Amino acid sequence: MAGRARLDDAPERLVRAAIALLAEQGPSALKARTVASASGLSTMVVYSHFGGIPELMSAVADQGFKELGTAFAQVPVTEDPVADLFAMALTCRRLARQNPHLYDLMFGLSTRATYRPLSDADHRLSGRSSAFREAHAHVTAACERLVRSGRIERRQEPEVIAAQLWSLVHGYITLELAEHFVEFDDAAMQVLLPMGVNFSVGLGDKRERAEASHEAGARLYDSIVQDH
């Protein structure tokens, strides 16, 4: 029974081991034998549970989105949806900086990796996974609260706003991880925050109120980090 219990949790152990290897060594470490050894399992277990490394990587990306969704859920829902959204942006940035290679995999930037991609695009594209959709739902819900708040023009669809904001935040994160903002002392506050303000103003918010909300979002994020 003990051996069966150990095998029952094999998928989770393999995924966790792969995530740790990504963080410590990068995608070149993601080989069946290496992941199996790191998880204390045999190479055959990788193939029996996932079929191969590409399928395991799909599960790893899903786990990344599950962790992102959990982190989003820890951002309190306040009376200021703009502040909430900026706190979520900073939360996403933190997770990306903690494991940049996992972030690459989650957001389709894994062409620099050494593993073979899945041939079936429906399985390879993490944007279609339920784990991604559940994480992204937190952003859409905050955008729905933003539309209801009356601070922007109501004719705008929350889903469209969420997609635009998602693009803004992840464009920034991708460039920061590639060290394009090294000349700034605090790129998040000097680049991401004012960019978010400009985005809010473009949606119809008042600049002074948008600036105050983003500053409140930064404080909200700091309080979350301190609590954990």
Side-chain angles (χ1 to χ4, degrees):
M1 292 298 293
R4 180 177 296 275
R6 286 196 295 272
L7 288 179
D8 285 346
D9 69 355
E12 180 181 356
R13 288 166 61 183
L14 290 167
V15 167
R16 293 293 181 188
I19 290 175
L21 286 168
L22 277 172
E24 296 166 5
Q25 302 179 37
S28 62
L30 296 182
K31 299 177 176 63
R33 182 170 57 185
T34 308
V35 175
S37 176
S39 60
L41 299 167
S42 69
T43 303
M44 186 56 66
V45 176
V46 177
Y47 296 103
S48 63
H49 282 283
F50 291 103
I53 287 296
E55 293 82 2
L56 173 59
M57 291 304 93
S58 180
V60 168
D62 279 352
Q63 181 60 34
F65 281 116
K66 289 176 184 177
E67 293 177 2
L68 179 60
T70 297
F72 281 164
Q74 293 172 350
V75 176
V77 175
T78 73
E79 296 180 354
D80 188 340
V82 175
D84 298 351
L85 283 165
F86 189 58
M88 291 167 67
L90 293 174
T91 296
C92 191
R93 172 182 179 258
R94 183 184 76 244
L95 267 63
R97 287 163 60 91
Q98 288 173 349
N99 195 336
H101 289 297
L102 175 59
Y103 177 85
D104 281 357
L105 180 66
M106 292 164 60
F107 288 93
L109 304 174
S110 55
T111 54
R112 71 191 75 181
T114 59
Y115 48 83
R116 168 181 61 86
L118 287 171
S119 58
D120 186 345
D122 285 343
H123 291 89
R124 181 162 51 88
L125 297 179
S126 58
R128 298 180 182 177
S129 75
S130 59
F132 162 77
R133 294 182 183 279
E134 289 172 7
H136 191 261
H138 291 279
V139 180
T140 303
C143 289
E144 290 172 349
R145 297 196 300 273
L146 175 61
V147 171
R148 292 196 304 268
S149 72
R151 291 178 59 169
I152 65 172
E153 298 176 8
R154 286 183 175 273
R155 67 174 180 270
Q156 299 175 77
E157 295 293 330
E159 294 80 5
V160 175
I161 297 173
Q164 293 171 348
L165 185 59
W166 197 250
S167 301
L168 180 154
V169 170
H170 293 293
Y172 166 85
I173 292 173
T174 300
L175 291 172
E176 185 182 32
L177 291 179
E179 299 185 351
H180 284 273
F181 301 135
V182 293
E183 69 271 25
F184 295 99
D185 295 329
D186 188 346
M189 295 300 103
Q190 292 172 274
V191 179
L192 182 58
L193 186 151
M195 185 163 56
V197 170
N198 291 338
F199 179 76
S200 297
V201 172
L203 291 175
D205 201 5
K206 300 294 184 183
R207 179 166 296 276
E208 295 78 8
R209 192 170 185 182
E211 289 174 346
S213 290
H214 279 75
E215 291 169 0
R219 293 192 297 271
L220 178 62
Y221 169 77
D222 288 341
S223 69
I224 297 169
V225 173
Q226 291 170 5
D227 288 343
H228 293 82

